[in-house]
Amino acid sequence: MKGLGFTPGHVVVITGAASGIGRATAKLASRSGLAVWGWDITPEPLEGLVEEIAADGGQAVGTVCDVADPAAVSRAWAEAAQVGAPRYLVNNAGPASNTPLTYHEGLIQAAGSMITVTEQWLERFGDVAAAVTFTSSIAAAVSGPSWYSVAKASINAYARNIAKQRGGRPRANSVGPGMTVTPPTMSFGQETLDSSAARHPMHRTGQPAEAAAALYFPLSPAASYRNA
């Protein structure tokens, strides 16, 4: 996705970068010339991503991090001394919607983790921070029987609060994909995927690259007037 105004070599942090939407976003960022700093809880897929980007001529490093652990997040940010100050943040990591969590657990692990990552980023790099996007979900607008819709609605509200309180530095936006075919959603079973596709106006499920493009545009300088 060229022509969005990114400066080659600027650093973007992408959480949950090893698979699905995060992986697709990392590849897109690399093709735009950004230096990708991928975070994920799974070491081997993360190493594979870094190698794949390098093979394509891009810049990437990986950090193993459980974003639900504030101490681990702090340790990860400390690695910026070797990586470089990150101007951009894609807050993507979080538990799958079918993870058996209480409302309290879901809010902490899904919304709370994104808040922790963002607050520590702003505390350390607020002088260079340019934009952040959050992976939310269409479920935020549809009340569901689990923690998932509540957590995703909280993420949307948090993005709006950053946009209002900080006056556009950084810009903050959330994106709510519909059912996207990723490793976690494939575990739902084909019947669930087909049912979701039938309800969608396009009568299909989404692909990670499509969600990545939706996340990536509001992050870019080309979206300079888009702020929650």
Side-chain angles (χ1 to χ4, degrees):
M1 190 177 289
K2 300 289 187 179
L4 294 182
F6 288 109
T7 298
H10 279 172
V11 178
V12 56
V13 171
I14 301 170
T15 68
S19 67
I21 294 172
R23 192 180 190 92
T25 305
K27 292 181 179 180
L28 183 58
S30 177
R31 292 196 296 269
S32 297
L34 291 180
V36 174
W37 185 7
W39 295 14
D40 204 275
I41 199 170
T42 54
E44 291 185 5
L46 184 60
E47 291 173 7
L49 170 69
V50 171
E51 292 171 358
E52 188 174 342
I53 289 176
D56 288 338
Q59 299 177 333
V61 295
T63 294
V64 177
C65 179
D66 178 0
V67 295
D69 179 355
V73 171
S74 182
R75 290 192 296 270
W77 281 128
E79 295 184 19
Q82 290 77 43
V83 178
R87 291 179 60 84
Y88 303 104
L89 172 61
V90 178
N91 247 319
N92 172 70
S97 61
N98 64 344
T99 306
L101 300 173
T102 66
Y103 282 102
H104 183 71
E105 292 167 337
L107 281 168
I108 291 174
Q109 293 187 32
S113 63
M114 291 192 179
I115 292 171
T116 296
V117 171
T118 305
E119 294 298 313
Q120 291 196 24
W121 175 58
L122 293 176
E123 181 180 348
R124 293 171 181 260
F125 308 106
D127 55 335
V128 300
V132 53
T133 54
F134 299 85
T135 302
S136 180
S137 170
I138 189 64
V142 181
S143 179
S146 77
W147 59 268
Y148 191 73
S149 59
V150 177
K152 292 301 185 178
S154 298
I155 291 164
N156 291 349
Y158 179 65
R160 289 193 296 269
N161 284 347
I162 293 177
K164 181 177 180 180
Q165 293 173 5
R166 297 186 65 92
R169 189 70 180 190
R171 292 183 298 102
N173 291 280
S174 60
V175 174
M179 181 68 78
T180 304
V181 180
T182 65
T185 61
M186 289 177 66
S187 71
F188 296 172
Q190 193 60 47
E191 183 177 348
T192 298
L193 294 175
D194 291 344
S195 175
S196 178
R199 295 193 301 272
H200 194 280
M202 297 182 73
H203 303 294
R204 66 175 179 85
T205 50
Q207 295 299 314
E210 294 171 313
L215 277 169
Y216 200 55
F217 174 72
L219 192 74
S220 74
S224 58
Y225 197 57
R226 178 171 178 146
N227 195 29

